[in-house]
Amino acid sequence: MFENIPGQLRTSLPAVEKYNQPTNLLDRWSESGAWWESRVQHKLDPYQKYSTSRVGNYIEGAHRDGSTFAGHNFASQDYLSLASHPILMQRAKDAIDRYGLHSAGSAALMGNTALSVELERRLAAFTGFEDVVVFPIGWAAGYGAVKTLVKPTDHVVIDILAHACLQEAARDATENVHVHSHLNVKAIESRLARIRREDEDCGILVVTETLFSMDSDVPNIPEIQEICRRHNATLLVDCAHDLGALGETGRGKLEDFGIVGGVDILVGAFSKSFGSMGGFVASNSRGLRFGLRGQCGPSTFTNAMSPIQAAVVLGSLDIIEGEEGRERRERLMRNSLRLRAGLEEEGFEVLGKPSAVVPMLIGDVLLARLMTRYAVEMGGIVNLVEHPAVARNACRWRLQVMADHTEEQIDAMIDIAVKSRDMAEAHVEWLSANDNEESERRLVAANDAAPSTAAAAE
């Protein structure tokens, strides 16, 4: 019933563990490339899947080897189910008719359109800030904000689970990067006090998120902001996973805290709740706008947001701020609570707080890979997160809930999770038994080949 899994596919990526690398830069990828190809051959590679239908609560797609799948879609970041909304698709078509396809220039020059300018005004009002600058991708917004603000003599204090764009920007901007344990407010305060004792004049940027997507947990933003002000530090918060999807009016966790517009800098992405690529940086500093436009690589030296993107995000804002948006957020939360409760009833550990992200801890890397394989085969389309994106033996499914998921789909996903766990555990047990049998055969063969004590004496 089960097939063997080679030993090298039961552990982490070889390139992550290697330190003695070939001199040739391309040769360095040969071993990991072969490892990835072996994974797909053994149906253990859930990455680089692609869709062959519209993104929705049910999706058709294919693995990177071309083999097809279809099922309940818990692997797409479309929290409010706006990616295929008919009103937004019409907005995109209207934008094409009026403005064409492409911005055709940097936002520092002639790349903006009337739509992107209007979007910045709307977002400023929505987020409670005086000024907003939009970017063509979310990564560019987060990376660009940190890299523009921080100079080599400055310091960055950052949560260990902050998004990769924020981590990379911090390391690229300064050597003075202080990573603290997740959600550790005391560590932030201690580090700020130490930095200020040693340097009264340096800039300090504290970086966190409103909702962390790997664990679906929330820091104490008001307390962190107050600590920053006491130490003359600047707080940057990434709201990519909650803005639009959470909060009474869609303004995210800051709304729940009662501090909309109350942090120093807010960065976000449109790819989760606004039906489009893109991102933004919001602040009460008009001067920062010119820094982001003229001295920020991801803005200054790339083409601006397309008119299609701006039209879709504007349309999404209309929905989010209206009655339909409220109804979609309510459905999203009901679905999240139903999925979390059902998984917990079946013995799964679900992390964090209710949101569109439902992190289901699995643990062992081999078990996680096999569970993912069987889930997709059964019609549960999920994303696997494994080391080095998370700690060793902390592999998980990052299930992503949509407003348009039905109760039947939620229940089906729970059932698929249980069945895939049973299949994966049986497969792992079978592999272990085979390993033991092979070891015994080798031991017997070695004993048969060895000369007896008497023969050796002669």
Side-chain angles (χ1 to χ4, degrees), residues 46-64:
Y47 305 108
Q48 300 181 53
K49 302 187 293 291
Y50 59 92
S51 59
T52 57
S53 66
R54 287 181 181 175
V55 172
N57 56 359
Y58 187 90
I59 198 165
E60 298 174 356
H63 296 283
R64 62 185 179 87

Side-chain angles (χ1 to χ4, degrees), residues 96-310:
I96 291 172
D97 289 341
R98 180 166 183 177
Y99 296 97
L101 300 170
H102 182 29
S103 63
S106 164
L109 300 174
M110 191 63 187
N112 279 323
T113 64
L115 291 175
S116 60
V117 173
E118 180 187 354
L119 176 58
E120 290 179 338
R121 294 195 191 103
R122 286 282 305 278
L123 281 170
F126 182 68
T127 59
F129 290 89
E130 292 181 10
D131 192 71
V132 165
V133 176
V134 295
F135 286 71
I137 62 172
W139 175 286
Y143 182 95
V146 174
K147 189 68 166 54
T148 302
L149 287 162
V150 178
K151 304 309 176 189
T153 55
D154 295 332
H155 292 252
V156 177
V157 178
I158 186 168
D159 192 293
I160 192 171
L161 294 187
H163 192 271
C165 70
L166 306 171
Q167 302 275 4
E168 290 192 20
R171 291 194 297 270
D172 289 348
T174 179
E175 294 181 352
N176 307 317
V177 178
H178 313 271
V179 179
H180 64 82
S181 55
H182 187 45
L183 303 186
N184 191 337
V185 176
K186 290 184 178 179
I188 297 173
E189 185 167 24
S190 174
R191 181 59 65 178
L192 291 183
R194 178 179 172 183
I195 294 170
R196 275 289 169 249
R197 285 197 301 269
E198 297 174 353
D199 190 341
E200 294 182 356
D201 299 322
C202 69
I204 307 175
L205 184 69
V206 176
V207 179
T208 189
E209 301 186 14
T210 44
L211 178 75
F212 286 86
S213 66
M214 286 300 173
D215 291 351
S216 191
D217 49 9
V218 179
N220 189 331
I221 301 294
E223 183 178 3
I224 296 172
Q225 180 65 82
E226 192 274 331
I227 291 169
C228 287
R229 287 176 179 152
R230 285 208 315 263
H231 293 88
N232 196 19
T234 301
L235 176 62
L236 181 149
V237 181
D238 180 355
C239 64
H241 287 273
D242 60 298
L243 189 71
L246 299 179
E248 179 66 25
T249 64
R251 287 165 171 82
K253 298 308 294 184
L254 294 185
E255 182 172 15
D256 292 342
F257 281 122
I259 55 168
V260 171
V263 297
D264 294 324
I265 301 169
L266 189 69
V267 302
F270 303 128
S271 52
K272 282 73 179 177
S273 300
F274 294 81
S276 174
M277 293 292 291
F280 70 91
V281 179
S283 76
N284 291 319
S285 168
R286 290 289 294 175
L288 180 58
R289 157 173 288 275
F290 297 99
L292 293 171
R293 282 293 184 240
Q295 300 179 54
C296 171
S299 173
T300 310
F301 302 110
T302 191
N303 280 312
M305 170 180 284
S306 74
I308 303 169
Q309 289 176 277

Side-chain angles (χ1 to χ4, degrees), residues 416-433:
I416 288 169
V418 172
K419 291 178 178 176
S420 66
R421 178 181 58 188
D422 294 343
M423 290 286 289
E425 287 177 344
H427 198 155
V428 170
E429 185 176 342
W430 181 88
L431 289 170
S432 179

